[in-house]
Amino acid sequence: MSIYVSANYNYRIEENVNFYLKMNYTSKTEDAVCRQYPSLCASAGITFSFLDKTLQLNIACHDLFRKEYSDWEVRYYNINNKQKNNVDSRFCSIYLRYNIYKTSRKNKVKDVDNVLNRL
């Protein structure tokens, strides 16, 4: 049996400033042949919006606690295949996004017949 849990937290600091925290956890998984070790990943970031949310600046950090692992083990008769990683998966990123076209994401429906004709 395996358990996967994901939690996201968003907090609006100001009108155009948002903070977020994301956490993913996968428990130890084991069956007759394969074993996957537990993994925890926590990421945090802050997003700044400018120019009526057309320009966005995002600063983020990934795997804050250095607990995201991809270690596994496969057993088949007398053969054991193991992979133990000591890779540091922590990183920070800064990206700038600019939306050239401001498009509406809502479908404008005039009447129900129009929707039924499309189907």
Side-chain angles (χ1 to χ4, degrees):
M1 184 171 105
S2 176
I3 297 173
Y4 175 77
V5 178
S6 179
N8 296 323
Y9 175 75
N10 294 308
Y11 179 73
R12 179 179 284 177
I13 298 172
E14 289 183 11
E15 178 66 28
N16 294 322
V17 180
N18 292 320
F19 171 78
Y20 63 89
L21 179 65
K22 298 178 183 179
M23 296 185 77
N24 298 321
Y25 172 75
T26 305
S27 68
K28 180 180 177 179
T29 306
E30 189 169 359
D31 57 23
V33 177
C34 185
R35 177 188 299 163
Q36 181 81 28
Y37 294 97
S39 178
L40 170 70
C41 181
S43 301
I46 190 163
T47 302
F48 300 94
S49 299
F50 307 102
L51 303 174
D52 195 26
K53 296 188 180 182
T54 305
L55 180 66
Q56 290 184 342
L57 173 67
N58 188 3
I59 302 169
C61 292
H62 180 75
D63 195 15
L64 298 172
F65 306 119
R66 195 173 185 250
K67 295 290 182 184
E68 184 178 33
Y69 300 114
S70 59
D71 299 343
W72 51 266
E73 180 179 346
V74 175
R75 296 175 308 277
Y76 186 73
Y77 288 107
N78 62 347
I79 300 171
N80 286 340
N81 185 8
K82 293 183 181 183
Q83 176 177 320
K84 291 251 185 201
N85 294 316
N86 192 17
V87 177
D88 190 353
S89 61
R90 294 175 293 181
F91 66 87
C92 290
S93 65
I94 299 173
Y95 73 82
L96 190 64
R97 182 172 75 178
Y98 181 75
N99 293 328
I100 296 173
Y101 299 108
K102 192 171 186 180
T103 59
S104 174
R105 294 181 185 213
K106 296 180 182 176
N107 291 333
K108 295 180 181 177
V109 178
K110 294 180 182 176
D111 57 7
V112 176
D113 293 331
N114 188 10
V115 175
L116 292 174
N117 288 335
R118 285 188 298 154
L119 295 177

